């Protein structure tokens, strides 16, 4: 069976890479693009024009679904658009695969309930890199024994949300196995606001944004007389493609929505 995929955010850097990957994947077909403009035009690689033969562009998901009947929505847009896109997709019977970070826990909970009600499979993945997911898993294992944790996440300077979805997901996984406590000196004072980073259940998360970076994270776990560092680096967006393809296949078999690629990795 050929899986019919629609991509939201196909003109972005990650979306363009995903488009190429899906077009080259066996048993997958990109049937349309969801965009906020260019209704009625066609996407030819990275070029948009009115020449037929490319991938049709729609600004309405409802109209797109009526015309192309897709199986999966791959959403690689931005935090402002993703909730509505995914909500509408589930309502229309389309399985969402989401690589956009910035969804709140409340939004994820609402979408999870909606997917369960409609018996629609879906995946929200803060990071599609297999290596990054393993880094999160290893960090959660280590935090059972080394409970003082700081997370340093580093991304390109075009990323709009901080901390990253990967950092938040890592902290959530660690929270499940670590007793909450305040780290550092009990009388610690910040002479510059934010110097100690964001606080998550007593852990600290630090966000760096610089040109030249793509997606990098280091989890530092301190113990008496020792330090364990677990680091992952994505140097190219191709690192996300195996996870995206895995998620698209997986949602075809699901009847629920899961948060995190670790839920489909043994």
């Amino acid at each position: 069976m050929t899986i019919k995929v629609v991509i939201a955010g196909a003109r972005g850097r990650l979306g363009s890479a995903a488009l190429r990957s899906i077009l080259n994947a066996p048993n997958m077909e990109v049937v349309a693009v969801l965009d906020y403009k260019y209704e009625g035009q066609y996407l030819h690689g990275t070029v948009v024009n009115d020449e037929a033969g490319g991938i049709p562009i729609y600004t309405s998901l409802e109209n797109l679904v009526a015309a192309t009947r897709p199986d999966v929505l791959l959403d690689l847009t931005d935090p402002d658009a993703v909730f509505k896109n995914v909500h509408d997709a589930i309502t229309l019977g389309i399985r969402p695969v989401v690589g956009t970070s910035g969804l709140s826990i409340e939004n994820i909970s609402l979408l999870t309930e909606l997917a369960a009600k409609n018996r629609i499979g879906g995946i929200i993945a803060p990071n599609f890199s297999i290596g990054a997911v393993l880094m999160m898993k290893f960090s959660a294992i280590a935090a059972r024994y080394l409970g003082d944790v700081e997370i340093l996440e580093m991304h390109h300077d075009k990323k709009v949300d901080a901390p990253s979805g990967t950092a938040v997901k890592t902290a959530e996984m660690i929270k499940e196995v670590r007793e909450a406590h305040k780290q550092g000196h009990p009388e610690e004072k910040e002479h510059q606001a934010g110097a100690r980073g964001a606080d998550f259940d007593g852990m600290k998360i630090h966000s760096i944004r610089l040109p030249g970076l793509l997606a990098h994270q280091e989890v530092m776990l301190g113990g008496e007389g020792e330090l364990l560092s677990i680091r992952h680096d994505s140097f190219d967006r191709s690192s996300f493609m195996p996870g995206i393809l895995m998620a698209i296949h997986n949602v075809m078999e699901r009847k629920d929505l899961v948060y995190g690629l670790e839920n489909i990795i043994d």
Side-chain angles (χ1 to χ4, degrees), residues 36-245:
Y36 67 94
K37 59 181 180 179
Y38 299 126
E39 171 73 29
Q41 298 195 58
Y42 298 86
L43 182 65
H44 301 261
T46 58
V47 177
V48 175
N49 57 42
D50 57 5
E51 296 179 9
I55 301 170
I57 299 174
Y58 294 82
T59 56
S60 163
L61 183 59
E62 187 172 1
N63 292 341
L64 183 157
V65 170
T68 64
R69 301 295 178 186
D71 300 302
V72 174
L73 167 69
L74 174 61
D75 192 296
L76 303 171
T77 55
D78 58 59
D80 292 333
V82 62
F83 179 79
K84 183 179 187 307
N85 288 347
V86 177
H87 184 280
D88 291 350
I90 294 171
T91 303
L92 292 166
I94 310 304
R95 303 163 182 85
V97 172
V98 183
T100 306
S101 58
L103 280 169
S104 68
I105 295 299
E106 291 77 13
N107 284 343
I108 293 171
S109 178
L110 287 172
L111 294 173
T112 301
E113 292 175 7
L114 183 64
K117 178 181 177 181
N118 288 272
R119 295 181 58 77
I120 291 289
I123 293 175
I124 297 173
N127 199 314
F128 279 113
S129 162
I130 305 300
V133 173
L134 293 173
M135 173 266 297
M136 291 187 273
K137 279 178 167 283
F138 297 157
S139 298
I141 293 170
R144 298 174 186 169
Y145 309 98
L146 299 171
D148 281 11
V149 182
E150 305 230 354
I151 299 171
L152 179 65
E153 59 97 346
M154 300 155 277
H155 284 79
H156 55 88
D157 60 342
K158 299 297 187 288
K159 186 171 178 61
V160 297
D161 58 314
S164 69
T166 301
V168 172
K169 179 63 173 174
T170 304
E172 289 171 349
M173 292 171 66
I174 291 173
K175 179 182 177 180
E176 295 298 316
V177 300
R178 167 191 179 273
E179 185 177 345
H181 63 277
K182 179 177 173 60
Q183 296 181 178
H185 195 283
E187 297 180 9
E188 181 179 83
K189 294 181 177 62
E190 285 186 329
H191 294 294
Q192 293 288 333
R196 286 290 290 121
D199 187 282
F200 187 103
D201 204 47
M203 290 174 276
K204 298 296 183 180
I205 304 177
H206 310 267
S207 297
I208 293 175
R209 299 290 178 266
L210 287 171
L213 296 172
L214 180 57
H216 317 263
Q217 181 167 296
E218 183 172 8
V219 182
M220 304 174 70
L221 304 103
E224 199 66 39
E226 62 179 336
L227 175 71
L228 173 63
S229 294
I230 302 173
R231 177 171 175 134
H232 176 264
D233 299 276
S234 281
F235 301 110
D236 189 271
R237 288 176 177 83
S238 61
S239 64
F240 308 125
M241 297 307 113
I244 287 176
L245 298 180

